[in-house]
Amino acid sequence: MTLLLLACAGSSAPEASAELVQGERLDLGASLAGKTLGVENPITLPDPEGRYVILEAVRSADWCPVCVGQIRQWQEQTEAVEAAGAVLYVLSPDRPEALAAGIEKNELSATIIPVDKSLWAEWGITNLDKDKLPHPSTFVVDPTGMVVFAETNE
């Protein structure tokens, strides 16, 4: 996590690549400028305040203990994330009702955005063995909307 935050604090961005191709793994240099994420209270990239955006894709903020642990680790780093000029959004395929229940049950304070499962296929991170849930993934988007860090754990 420390290296990721250092990347936000001043790394040189990769050169822009071609537009994201549906189903190909979201990778360095891909542009997410103008991309809207979320089925409720959506966000649009890049961040309007010029911050780096950390996108953490999880399988569930409700029933997945590994995912909940991951979210809690990020919550512990809130000050460091903000000091690095970044903002964190957790992306979850949970339906809004299940997400609200999971946030309450697991006492989560991170900003968790419910997204449609089709996003995982669009970004090439679908785990076909797990009911089309995402492989856990972390992406950092710079203030121009370009992906400057991408990691997917299969």
Side-chain angles (χ1 to χ4, degrees):
M1 226 176 264
T2 303
L3 290 175
L4 178 60
L5 294 174
L6 288 173
C8 292
S11 68
S12 58
E15 293 204 21
S17 64
E19 290 298 310
L20 177 66
V21 176
Q22 179 83 14
E24 285 188 11
R25 177 74 42 91
L26 183 62
D27 208 353
L28 297 178
S31 176
L32 293 178
K35 178 71 176 169
T36 298
L37 302 172
V39 294
E40 285 189 358
N41 302 316
I43 62 161
T44 301
L45 299 170
D47 179 66
E49 295 178 28
R51 298 174 292 186
Y52 282 79
V53 176
I54 300 170
L55 301 171
E56 185 72 22
V58 299
R59 291 181 177 145
S60 174
D62 180 27
W63 56 262
C64 176
V66 173
C67 302
V68 170
Q70 210 172 351
I71 295 167
R72 286 187 177 140
Q73 283 182 331
W74 276 112
Q75 286 176 179
E76 292 171 7
Q77 299 297 319
T78 298
E79 286 182 27
V81 168
E82 291 171 355
V87 61
L88 168 72
Y89 296 110
V90 176
L91 306 177
S92 171
D94 292 317
R95 281 181 250 125
E97 321 77 57
L99 180 57
I103 289 171
E104 183 176 340
K105 172 179 74 180
N106 297 308
E107 300 176 353
L108 301 175
S109 61
T111 302
I112 305 173
I113 299 173
V115 295
D116 188 272
K117 285 184 182 180
S118 65
L119 180 66
W120 315 136
E122 181 183 330
W123 287 2
I125 61 172
T126 301
N127 183 342
L128 298 176
D129 296 335
K130 299 285 183 188
D131 192 30
K132 297 186 180 176
L133 295 173
H135 288 292
S137 301
T138 305
F139 303 100
V140 177
V141 180
D142 77 6
T144 69
M146 186 184 308
V147 175
V148 294
F149 179 89
E151 180 178 81
T152 297
N153 298 309
E154 294 187 39

